Amino acid sequence: MNLCVYGASSDLIDPAYLTEGERLGERMAQRGHGLVFGAGQTGMMGALARGMAKHGGTIIGVAPKFFDEPGVLYQECTEMIFTETMRQRKEIMEERADGFIMTPGGIGTYEEFFEILTLKQLGRHNKPIGILNTAGCFDDLARLLEDTAARGFMGEHCLKLYYIADTPEELLEYMENILSADVADDI
């Protein structure tokens, strides 16, 4: 299965996050999963790609043409897809993925996560969504979403549209179980 992973493009983060991102990439490749990502060379994106490459994983990079600058894009992608816009980028990433994972990142990562979560809530897809909660990075986000539901701004059922895990192994196990169940339902 191909997993779309969102994450930071910045290297100005604690190296522990990068280590965990690389470990996620390694585990994905070892388990036979492909990576669909924003094609970044640095930050969590670069760490994921390096982890995938260590174990011969398939790496599908999707980037707008204006990102094609020296030092920006990961050069060893198995497949590189260029788009005109960021919106086209997200659409292709969604189409090519069987599931979605958010790793620590900034506003772009949040934007991608909330769009894919909104689309699931609206019934536009039924693909699993996972959050890698490295070092408790998303504890406050989890509380925010719980509070949002408690105040009636979203349904309680929305809290079940994603899964938060503390380790790559736990997260991948969840994704695999959901996708296996979906395949069994289709048979």
Coordinates of all heavy atoms in Angstrom, one line a residue, residues 26-61:
E26 N 11.9 3.8 7.3 CA 12.5 2.4 7.4 C 11.5 1.4 7.6 O 11.4 0.4 6.9 CB 13.6 2.3 8.4 CG 14.8 3.2 8.2 CD 15.8 3.1 9.3 OE1 15.6 2.3 10.3 OE2 16.8 3.9 9.3
R27 N 10.6 1.6 8.6 CA 9.6 0.6 8.9 C 8.6 0.4 7.7 O 8.1 -0.7 7.4 CB 8.8 0.9 10.2 CG 9.7 1.0 11.4 CD 10.4 -0.4 11.7 NE 11.2 -0.3 12.9 CZ 12.5 0.1 12.9 NH1 13.1 0.4 11.8 NH2 13.1 0.1 14.0
M28 N 8.2 1.5 7.1 CA 7.3 1.5 6.0 C 7.9 0.6 4.8 O 7.3 -0.3 4.3 CB 7.0 2.9 5.4 CG 6.0 3.7 6.3 SD 5.8 5.4 5.7 CE 5.3 5.2 4.0
A29 N 9.2 0.9 4.5 CA 9.8 0.1 3.4 C 10.0 -1.4 3.8 O 9.7 -2.3 3.0 CB 11.2 0.7 3.1
Q30 N 10.4 -1.6 5.1 CA 10.5 -3.0 5.5 C 9.2 -3.8 5.5 O 9.2 -5.0 5.3 CB 11.1 -3.0 7.0 CG 12.5 -2.6 7.1 CD 12.9 -2.3 8.5 OE1 12.1 -2.1 9.4 NE2 14.3 -2.4 8.7
R31 N 8.1 -3.1 5.6 CA 6.8 -3.7 5.6 C 6.2 -3.7 4.2 O 5.0 -4.1 4.0 CB 5.9 -3.0 6.6 CG 6.3 -3.3 8.1 CD 5.7 -2.4 9.0 NE 4.5 -3.0 9.7 CZ 4.3 -3.1 11.0 NH1 5.3 -2.7 11.8 NH2 3.2 -3.6 11.4
G32 N 6.9 -3.2 3.2 CA 6.4 -3.3 1.8 C 5.5 -2.1 1.4 O 4.9 -2.2 0.4
H33 N 5.5 -1.0 2.2 CA 4.7 0.1 1.8 C 5.5 1.1 1.0 O 6.7 1.3 1.2 CB 4.1 0.8 3.1 CG 3.4 -0.2 4.0 ND1 2.4 -1.0 3.5 CD2 3.6 -0.4 5.3 CE1 1.9 -1.7 4.5 NE2 2.7 -1.4 5.6
G34 N 4.8 1.8 0.1 CA 5.4 2.9 -0.6 C 5.1 4.2 0.0 O 4.1 4.4 0.8
L35 N 5.9 5.2 -0.2 CA 5.8 6.6 0.3 C 5.3 7.5 -0.8 O 5.9 7.6 -1.9 CB 7.1 7.1 0.9 CG 7.2 8.5 1.3 CD1 6.3 8.9 2.4 CD2 8.6 8.9 1.6
V36 N 4.2 8.2 -0.5 CA 3.8 9.4 -1.3 C 4.0 10.6 -0.4 O 3.5 10.6 0.7 CB 2.3 9.2 -1.7 CG1 1.9 10.5 -2.5 CG2 2.0 7.9 -2.5
F37 N 4.8 11.6 -1.0 CA 5.1 12.7 -0.1 C 5.3 14.0 -0.9 O 5.4 13.9 -2.2 CB 6.2 12.4 0.9 CG 7.6 12.5 0.3 CD1 8.6 13.2 0.9 CD2 7.9 11.8 -0.9 CE1 9.9 13.3 0.4 CE2 9.2 11.9 -1.4 CZ 10.2 12.6 -0.8
G38 N 5.5 15.1 -0.3 CA 5.7 16.3 -0.9 C 7.1 16.6 -1.5 O 7.4 17.7 -2.0
A39 N 7.9 15.5 -1.6 CA 9.2 15.5 -2.3 C 10.3 16.3 -1.7 O 11.3 16.6 -2.3 CB 9.0 15.9 -3.8
G40 N 10.1 16.8 -0.5 CA 11.2 17.6 0.2 C 12.4 16.8 0.5 O 12.4 15.7 1.0
Q41 N 13.5 17.5 0.4 CA 14.8 16.9 0.8 C 15.2 17.1 2.2 O 16.0 16.3 2.8 CB 15.9 17.6 -0.1 CG 17.3 17.1 0.2 CD 18.3 17.8 -0.7 OE1 18.3 17.5 -1.9 NE2 19.2 18.6 -0.2
T42 N 14.6 18.1 2.9 CA 14.9 18.4 4.3 C 13.8 18.1 5.2 O 12.7 17.7 4.8 CB 15.3 19.9 4.4 OG1 14.2 20.7 3.9 CG2 16.5 20.2 3.5
G43 N 14.1 18.3 6.5 CA 13.0 18.1 7.5 C 12.5 16.7 7.6 O 13.2 15.7 7.3
M44 N 11.3 16.5 8.1 CA 10.7 15.2 8.2 C 10.5 14.5 6.8 O 10.7 13.3 6.7 CB 9.3 15.3 8.9 CG 9.3 15.8 10.3 SD 10.2 14.7 11.4 CE 9.0 13.4 11.6
M45 N 10.3 15.3 5.8 CA 10.1 14.7 4.5 C 11.4 14.1 4.0 O 11.4 12.9 3.6 CB 9.7 15.8 3.5 CG 8.2 16.2 3.6 SD 7.6 17.1 2.2 CE 8.3 18.8 2.6
G46 N 12.5 14.8 4.2 CA 13.8 14.2 3.8 C 14.1 13.0 4.6 O 14.7 12.0 4.1
A47 N 13.9 13.0 5.9 CA 14.1 11.9 6.8 C 13.4 10.7 6.4 O 13.9 9.6 6.4 CB 13.8 12.3 8.3
L48 N 12.1 10.9 6.1 CA 11.2 9.8 5.7 C 11.8 9.1 4.4 O 11.9 7.9 4.3 CB 9.8 10.3 5.4 CG 8.9 10.4 6.6 CD1 7.8 11.4 6.3 CD2 8.3 9.1 6.9
A49 N 12.1 10.0 3.5 CA 12.7 9.5 2.2 C 14.0 8.7 2.4 O 14.2 7.6 1.8 CB 12.8 10.6 1.2
R50 N 14.8 9.2 3.2 CA 16.1 8.5 3.5 C 15.9 7.2 4.1 O 16.5 6.2 3.8 CB 17.0 9.4 4.3 CG 17.6 10.6 3.6 CD 18.7 11.3 4.4 NE 18.2 11.9 5.7 CZ 17.6 13.0 5.8 NH1 17.3 13.8 4.7 NH2 17.2 13.5 7.0
G51 N 14.9 7.1 5.0 CA 14.6 5.9 5.7 C 14.0 4.9 4.7 O 14.4 3.7 4.7
M52 N 13.2 5.3 3.8 CA 12.6 4.5 2.7 C 13.8 4.0 1.8 O 13.8 2.8 1.5 CB 11.6 5.2 1.9 CG 10.3 5.6 2.6 SD 9.2 4.1 2.9 CE 8.8 3.6 1.2
A53 N 14.7 4.8 1.4 CA 15.7 4.5 0.5 C 16.7 3.5 1.1 O 17.2 2.6 0.4 CB 16.5 5.8 0.1
K54 N 16.9 3.5 2.4 CA 17.8 2.5 3.1 C 17.4 1.1 2.8 O 18.2 0.2 2.9 CB 17.8 2.8 4.6 CG 18.8 3.8 5.0 CD 18.8 3.9 6.6 CE 19.6 5.0 7.1 NZ 19.5 5.1 8.6
H55 N 16.1 0.9 2.7 CA 15.5 -0.4 2.5 C 14.8 -0.6 1.2 O 14.0 -1.5 1.0 CB 14.5 -0.7 3.7 CG 15.2 -0.7 5.0 ND1 16.0 -1.8 5.5 CD2 15.3 0.3 5.9 CE1 16.5 -1.4 6.6 NE2 16.1 -0.2 7.0
G56 N 15.2 0.2 0.2 CA 14.7 0.0 -1.2 C 13.2 0.3 -1.4 O 12.7 -0.3 -2.3
G57 N 12.6 1.1 -0.6 CA 11.2 1.4 -0.7 C 10.9 2.3 -1.9 O 11.8 3.0 -2.4
T58 N 9.7 2.2 -2.3 CA 9.2 3.0 -3.4 C 8.9 4.4 -2.9 O 8.1 4.6 -1.9 CB 7.9 2.4 -4.1 OG1 8.2 1.1 -4.6 CG2 7.4 3.3 -5.2
I59 N 9.4 5.4 -3.5 CA 9.3 6.8 -3.1 C 8.7 7.6 -4.2 O 9.3 7.8 -5.3 CB 10.6 7.4 -2.7 CG1 11.3 6.5 -1.6 CG2 10.5 8.9 -2.2 CD1 12.8 6.9 -1.4
I60 N 7.4 8.1 -4.0 CA 6.7 8.9 -5.0 C 6.7 10.3 -4.5 O 6.0 10.6 -3.5 CB 5.3 8.4 -5.3 CG1 5.3 6.9 -5.7 CG2 4.6 9.3 -6.3 CD1 4.0 6.2 -5.7
G61 N 7.4 11.2 -5.2 CA 7.5 12.6 -4.8 C 6.5 13.4 -5.7 O 6.4 13.2 -6.9

